[in-house]
Amino acid sequence: MEPVLEVDLVAARIDPAAFKAVLGRFASGVTVITAVDAGEPVGFACQSFASLSIDPPLVSFFPARTSSTWPRIRRAGTFCVNILAEDQTEICRQLGRPGADKFAGIDWIPSGNGSPLLTGALATIDCTLREEVDGGDHTVVIADVTGLNEHSDATPLLFYRAGFGRFDAH
C-alpha cells in the first residue's frame, strides 16, 4: 500500500468537529494583517500567525481560501502584522467580520511600508510576500520581514477554545 493512500484513509476518519475541539485547546496570540489596496486600508484578524525563520527573517500565516481580503493584501505585496493587546478585542471582531468598511472608527497610522499600523498594537512587523503554498482549505503564506517594532508591554490578546482570553504571568 502506498503511503499517500494510507494518509488519505487516516484523514477520512478524522471527524471535523473533533479536529476543531482538540486543536481549539491550543492557545494562540491574535494578529491583524493589514495593507493598503487601491488607496483603501484592508485587513483581517488572524490567529494562525507564527515566526518561521530567524535567518533569513521570515513569518507565516494561513488565510482561508474563502477570504475576500487576502487577495487584496496579496495584490498590495506588502503588509503589516499587528500583534493585538488584550484591550483590542473589539478591533479583532470588527476586522474579523466580512463587510464594507472594516476600518470605520479604527485609529491607525502608516507603518514603515505604508500599511496600517493599528494604534495600541503591542508590536508590528512589516512584511513583503515571498511565497504561497497550498494548505488544503487555507493558503500558507510565507513573508520576508522588512521591519519590526515593539510598541507596548501591555497584556496580549489570546484566542482559546473559540473565545478570547488573557495571559497571567504569575
Side-chain angles (χ1 to χ4, degrees):
M1 182 178 284
E2 292 182 25
V4 171
L5 181 58
E6 188 175 318
V7 170
D8 289 344
L9 290 174
V10 169
R13 292 189 297 246
I14 301 296
D15 173 56
F19 186 81
K20 283 177 130 179
V22 169
L23 294 181
R25 296 203 178 260
F26 180 72
S28 65
V30 182
T31 67
V32 169
I33 313 295
T34 60
V36 173
D37 178 55
E40 294 181 356
V42 294
F44 65 92
C46 177
Q47 101 273 354
S48 64
F49 170 80
S51 63
L52 181 61
S53 171
I54 292 174
D55 186 18
L58 301 172
V59 295
S60 62
F61 60 93
F62 318 108
R65 291 209 179 272
T66 57
S67 171
S68 59
T69 305
W70 170 241
R72 296 185 70 188
I73 294 173
R74 176 195 303 120
R75 185 169 46 239
T78 59
F79 47 87
C80 182
V81 178
N82 294 266
I83 300 173
L84 299 186
E86 179 184 29
D87 65 355
Q88 294 183 300
T89 302
E90 286 310 310
I91 289 173
C92 179
R93 289 180 204 267
Q94 184 170 330
L95 288 164
R97 289 185 207 110
D101 186 5
K102 291 183 182 185
F103 279 81
I106 294 178
D107 292 327
W108 63 274
I109 60 172
S111 71
N113 70 16
S115 299
L117 184 159
L118 303 180
T119 302
L122 297 180
T124 51
I125 306 161
D126 277 342
C127 301
T128 301
L129 177 62
R130 174 182 273 230
E131 140 179 42
E132 291 181 78
V133 179
D134 179 15
D137 58 3
H138 284 67
T139 298
V140 178
V141 174
I142 300 171
D144 290 291
V145 174
T146 58
L148 38 82
N149 289 289
E150 293 180 81
H151 305 288
S152 170
D153 286 330
T155 304
L157 180 61
L158 298 180
F159 190 76
Y160 179 71
R161 297 185 77 186
F164 295 106
R166 61 175 281 127
F167 174 75
D168 188 359
H170 297 84

